[in-house]
Amino acid sequence: LLAAIRASFTDAPNNDFEVLFVQSMNLLGLLKGALQNTEHLVKDLGCAQLVLDVLHAHPESEAVQSAGCLAMGLVSSGNPTSARVFCDLGAPEVIIMAMHTHPSKLHWLACQALFGMPKDAAETIVELGGIQAVLEAMRVSYHEK
């Protein structure tokens, strides 16, 4: 699965890549429950780096940003080692950037991804504007109802 994403990252047209990435991240979420060692997936197999590379390359794609936040939230939540890997690779900055770029569409997924980050990342998240991004997500969500 990761090899297919890596290969298509550079070879597939944007729309085909978006579909593949979104489907793959949804599958990753399903597999998380079956995997005993998500650290191996995230760190050793390079899933965390791949997800962040894709999010950096496709900031305009709401579908890609949503899928990436979903994957980070699912894999990091309750797993400090996986959360640390994502955090050390710059996940908080990517998540907050996605929240600013697509404030009305992926706010819950992004908040879940931020919540999954290690507790010692709180200061970094605050410095990056995370509080404002979460408050904006809450405001947008409130007005959508």
Side-chain angles (χ1 to χ4, degrees):
L1 178 62
L2 294 175
I5 296 171
R6 278 189 192 98
S8 68
F9 184 48
T10 53
D11 298 338
N14 250 4
N15 289 343
D16 292 343
F17 176 75
E18 279 188 13
V19 170
L20 175 64
F21 184 72
V22 170
Q23 290 173 344
S24 299
M25 293 303 100
N26 289 334
L27 179 59
L28 175 65
L30 294 173
L31 289 175
K32 187 224 179 209
L35 293 172
Q36 296 297 321
N37 188 357
T38 56
E39 294 92 358
H40 177 63
L41 174 70
V42 169
K43 187 175 182 179
D44 301 332
L45 296 178
C47 178
Q49 186 64 61
L50 178 62
V51 168
L52 292 170
D53 287 348
V54 171
L55 294 179
H56 275 296
H58 296 276
E60 76 292 341
S61 172
E62 181 184 304
V64 167
Q65 297 297 310
S66 293
C69 285
L70 172 66
M72 284 188 281
L74 288 173
V75 174
S76 296
S77 181
N79 190 315
T81 303
S82 294
R84 171 58 49 207
V85 171
F86 273 109
C87 188
D88 289 349
L89 292 171
E93 181 178 6
V94 173
I95 296 164
I96 292 167
M97 181 178 62
M99 292 176 82
H100 288 303
T101 305
H102 307 283
S104 66
K105 300 299 180 184
L106 57 91
H107 46 268
W108 291 115
L109 296 172
C111 286
Q112 179 186 15
L114 282 177
F115 183 74
M117 293 294 106
K119 302 307 173 215
D120 64 356
E123 187 175 332
T124 300
I125 291 169
V126 169
E127 289 172 0
L128 292 169
I131 291 174
Q132 293 84 356
V134 170
L135 289 173
E136 178 64 13
M138 292 170 66
R139 187 190 66 73
V140 168
S141 177
Y142 177 79
H143 289 295
E144 286 180 352
K145 292 184 179 186

